[in-house]
Amino acid sequence: MNKVISVINVLGILWKIAIVTGKQCVKSNHCACVFDDGSGTIDLSPIGHKDGTAVFVDRPSSTDAYWYSYNPCGTFYEAACVNVAICQYDAANYIFQVCQYDPVKYVFQDIGVPDKVSFNYNGLYVVAQYQSQDGFRNTFVTLVCDQRKTQPALDVIGGTTGTDYYMTLTTVAACPVPSPQPSPEQEGGGLSTGSILLIIFFVLLFVYLAVGVTFNKVWRDFRGIEVIPNSEFWATLPGLVRDGCALSLATVCRKRSVYVSM
């Protein structure tokens, strides 16, 4: 009972942390979720069986008398559990139930299907929440990242109520994988900021010249080079640039000579 209370208290603390952080792992499919801050993707597909069997079969719980089977990605079959992700097995009542009508109906119970999974980040870990097909039961699987766990490990806590169950899955697959950065070709050859600024500059220059020339020619009846707007300024601009460069060069040389003399 103390273990159950501790689990509930820990989950409550983690839920408060999640409210503070605001970060979430958005479901992309029943095997993966993507962090909304761009920090990466958690994908369980590498450790899931695709042949209708479970990765973890009949694992005992640390808090109740039931055994549990779990396939992190994909469905499996176990007696009355059909197309499930998690199945609960009542081993203690199996012998009694075989004498009853429909013996496996209550011995094996669906407590989570892949189609009804959601991912929630609690501030420390991503928790995969599976719901049974009938919607009455929930299983919460805490995904713990461990780069050394190439072979996944499952710790079954079991049921804290009649409808909620808890597990901890430790695996390298729970570690966020950074999303690949698309190349410029993959992005459709988008323009850089410099290119956009150059385009804006030349467009404005064209508009300035077109409007200025038209105004000077039509309204002011100018001819020749005078039709260029502010022609006096443009005529003196090369000389101003030359004088500016000469002044800058002289200043640099003077500072250098002073530095050498010191």
Side-chain angles (χ1 to χ4, degrees), residues 161-179:
T161 67
T163 58
D164 293 334
Y165 308 90
Y166 297 88
M167 302 178 179
T168 299
L169 176 65
T170 305
T171 172
V172 66
C175 300
V177 177
S179 302

Side-chain angles (χ1 to χ4, degrees), residues 169-247:
L169 176 65
T170 305
T171 172
V172 66
C175 300
V177 177
S179 302
Q181 297 298 320
S183 63
E185 293 78 10
Q186 292 174 324
E187 292 179 339
L191 296 175
S192 64
T193 302
S195 299
I196 294 174
L197 291 176
L198 284 174
I199 291 173
I200 294 174
F201 169 76
F202 284 111
V203 169
L204 292 177
L205 179 62
F206 173 79
V207 172
Y208 162 76
L209 290 174
V211 173
V213 169
T214 302
F215 178 79
N216 287 338
K217 191 171 183 179
V218 175
W219 295 97
R220 304 176 71 177
D221 198 27
F222 286 175
R223 294 292 182 270
I225 196 172
E226 290 183 343
V227 298
I228 299 175
N230 304 110
S231 56
E232 297 85 359
F233 168 76
W234 295 112
T236 59
L237 181 61
L240 294 174
V241 173
R242 182 185 66 248
D243 293 342
C245 292
L247 178 61

Side-chain angles (χ1 to χ4, degrees), residues 61-82:
S61 162
S62 59
T63 60
D64 58 38
Y66 299 106
W67 291 12
Y68 297 83
S69 298
Y70 174 43
N71 192 36
C73 180
T75 60
F76 70 93
Y77 304 83
E78 185 176 8
C81 291
V82 179

